Amino acid sequence: MKVLVELSDEQVGVLGAVTGMLVDVDRTISQLLAVKEGLLAVGARLSFEIGADAAAAVDPGLPDSYAGDAMDLAARAVAAEFAVALQSSDRSLQRRMTEADAKVALFPAVWRAQGVGAVTAGQARAIVDAGTHLDDESDRDAYAAEMIDLVQAPGLSPSRVGRAARRAAERRQPRTLEDRHRDARRTRKSWVKDRADGMAEFGVLGPAALIHGASDRLTAMGLGILSDATARREAGDDRCLDEIRADLALDLLLTGAPAGHDPDGLLAGVTGAVSVTIPVTALLGVTGPCAELDGSTPIDGATARRLAADAPGWDRVLTHPITGAVLAVDRYRPSAELRRWLRARDQRCRFPGCGYLARDCDIDHTTDAATGGPTDAHNLGALCRRHHVLKHQTPWTVEQLDGGTFSWTSPTRKVYLDTPPPPNTGTPMRDDRPPF
């Protein structure tokens, strides 16, 4: 029996009107994104100008790396100005500045086409990504013209444009694929992205042959487990293939020995470590705030209790019963109490918008110790290395106010306040007075 979907004349009219509006809105957004990229490109050029002036002022007797540092610090300072104003990450903004400058400078025709609505932002991104490694300007211009003409055909989504663009760029590549792959291998990396409901995503960028080979091995292992229906039934294993592959990958990463990189057997003893904040109510299984991984990612109570049971030591964080502010930190095995107190208070880098975890940050004197700044809780804070350097070597300045609030002043004299993030605790909000 077939299921037929039919639309009334009125529904057809509504659908057509909404589709037309969506097309208009999407075109407008793409055009506005082109304007934004133009402004980011101006910022990139401005940072280059500022950095060039700073590099020219470097003592000629110093190594060339000092001039390079000046250029990088200028880019950081400008990106931080943009990012804090936009409530974004300055690392991401600096990357987008670089990408925008590359699009505007290397593919001006594509940028202009996006600005007038001839190509969408997704199509433009696919064209630029595929042609980034074309070094000759005439080749880039011819490639861009070919792709702009191509996307006028209907039905060309960014993924289809990407495939066509890679083929068109490949025809114009002056370098062999072997040479380009050798350079591309230098970009291999891994990363983690937090997801909802106590989950996270682990990604790896590497040579295609190795990635596909690893995926094929996980699949073969998973199919081997699935093939033993009797054992699965007895064990109550109802996992699907995707779940099994994910479990196998994590098992191999957490327990496998990197034989190819460990001739002396030293790396095999390295174990993974995580930092978990567990409210007492979560330990007891009582309804209340959930446990958190590294101060940012919620995890379920059962996992938190298993980790707590196996932990070699705990930090106990004492909070104000009304405001929830951190009052003190102690440990059953005492060590650097002040450092623990600061990390419990700050939880992450104290530059506005930065999410680097406090455990990965420097403990910085807000007022330098060399100029008389005391080593106490009211003059210390967690800063990641990027923002630690930004504070000392660019026009950005910071002072610490009451309650651990950091007041940052940008090169354009705008002031941004960063307050300590609330701890992972439940408090009756009857009083907003500070604990001190």
Side-chain angles (χ1 to χ4, degrees), residues 122-421:
Q123 291 171 333
R125 183 166 54 251
I127 294 170
V128 171
D129 287 348
T132 296
H133 300 297
L134 292 175
D135 297 325
D136 185 79
E137 182 177 356
S138 61
D139 283 342
R140 282 198 306 270
D141 291 345
Y143 160 78
E146 177 184 345
M147 294 311 303
I148 292 170
D149 287 341
L150 177 68
V151 298
Q152 305 310 308
L156 280 178
S157 63
S159 62
R160 293 186 177 184
V161 171
R163 287 194 290 271
R166 287 189 290 273
R167 292 169 184 159
E170 187 66 34
R171 293 197 301 270
R172 294 176 170 84
Q173 281 287 359
R175 302 174 64 207
T176 65
L177 180 58
E178 287 74 15
D179 287 343
R180 287 181 282 123
H181 178 68
R182 190 180 304 113
D183 292 342
R185 284 177 62 92
R186 303 293 297 179
T187 66
R188 61 191 187 276
K189 61 180 179 179
S190 67
W191 65 91
V192 173
K193 181 180 179 181
D194 290 327
R195 303 290 290 269
D197 302 324
M199 302 291 281
E201 183 179 299
F202 183 86
V204 179
L205 173 66
L210 299 183
I211 295 295
H212 283 277
S215 177
D216 183 73
R217 186 183 184 213
L218 288 174
T219 299
M221 289 180 174
L223 291 174
I225 293 174
L226 285 173
S227 67
D228 194 344
T230 302
R232 279 167 50 81
R233 185 167 52 252
E234 292 175 352
D237 184 357
D238 61 352
R239 295 173 297 170
C240 68
L241 180 58
D242 280 341
E243 292 176 280
I244 293 174
R245 284 188 294 204
D247 292 343
L248 286 169
L250 292 174
D251 195 6
L252 289 169
L253 285 170
L254 289 171
T255 64
H261 299 79
D262 193 21
D264 300 321
L266 299 177
L267 297 180
V270 176
T271 58
V274 294
S275 174
V276 183
T277 303
I278 311 175
V280 171
T281 51
L283 277 179
L284 299 176
V286 179
T287 301
C290 62
E292 287 185 344
L293 185 68
D294 289 327
S296 61
T297 305
I299 60 173
D300 63 281
T303 299
R305 287 188 287 275
R306 283 199 301 271
L307 292 172
D310 295 334
W314 299 358
D315 288 338
R316 182 171 60 189
V317 181
L318 307 179
T319 60
H320 190 275
I322 301 298
T323 66
V326 175
L327 298 178
V329 175
D330 65 6
R331 187 182 174 93
Y332 301 130
R333 300 177 183 177
S335 57
E337 181 178 339
L338 179 58
R339 185 180 294 269
R340 292 198 302 276
W341 188 93
L342 289 164
R343 286 177 176 167
R345 180 198 70 180
D346 292 344
Q347 300 182 46
R348 43 117 176 107
C349 172
R350 295 304 306 280
F351 186 81
C354 184
Y356 258 51
L357 301 176
R359 71 175 188 181
D360 299 325
C361 292
D362 300 331
I363 299 298
D364 172 63
H365 285 76
T366 306
T367 300
D368 294 350
T371 59
T375 303
D376 60 30
H378 304 292
N379 189 50
L380 295 173
L383 290 182
C384 70
R385 184 57 54 87
R386 176 187 178 90
H387 295 125
H388 195 170
V389 172
L390 188 81
K391 171 202 161 190
H392 286 289
Q393 296 183 239
T394 76
W396 279 88
T397 60
V398 63
E399 61 177 321
Q400 195 167 160
L401 309 179
D402 292 339
T405 296
F406 279 48
S407 176
W408 288 86
T409 303
S410 78
T412 60
R413 314 313 298 168
K414 289 184 173 64
V415 176
Y416 301 95
L417 299 181
D418 184 81
T419 57

Side-chain angles (χ1 to χ4, degrees), residues 19-177:
T19 301
M21 287 188 286
L22 279 173
V23 170
D24 291 340
V25 168
D26 190 66
R27 182 181 293 112
T28 301
I29 290 173
S30 290
Q31 291 174 292
L32 289 174
L33 285 174
V35 174
K36 182 178 180 180
E37 288 170 337
L39 294 172
L40 290 174
V42 171
R45 304 288 176 85
L46 178 62
S47 71
F48 183 86
E49 181 182 323
I50 295 169
D53 290 343
V58 171
D59 187 334
L62 293 173
D64 293 341
S65 61
Y66 280 74
D69 290 342
M71 299 291 290
D72 181 56
L73 286 169
R76 292 187 188 187
V78 173
E81 182 80 45
F82 289 167
V84 178
L86 294 171
Q87 300 185 50
S88 180
S89 161
D90 59 308
R91 290 178 176 85
S92 297
L93 243 298
Q94 186 172 346
R95 183 177 65 252
R96 289 202 288 270
M97 284 167 56
T98 301
E99 292 170 351
D101 188 49
K103 177 187 279 189
V104 173
L106 301 180
F107 297 93
V110 176
W111 176 60
R112 288 193 296 269
Q114 181 183 336
V116 299
V119 302
T120 68
Q123 291 171 333
R125 183 166 54 251
I127 294 170
V128 171
D129 287 348
T132 296
H133 300 297
L134 292 175
D135 297 325
D136 185 79
E137 182 177 356
S138 61
D139 283 342
R140 282 198 306 270
D141 291 345
Y143 160 78
E146 177 184 345
M147 294 311 303
I148 292 170
D149 287 341
L150 177 68
V151 298
Q152 305 310 308
L156 280 178
S157 63
S159 62
R160 293 186 177 184
V161 171
R163 287 194 290 271
R166 287 189 290 273
R167 292 169 184 159
E170 187 66 34
R171 293 197 301 270
R172 294 176 170 84
Q173 281 287 359
R175 302 174 64 207
T176 65
L177 180 58

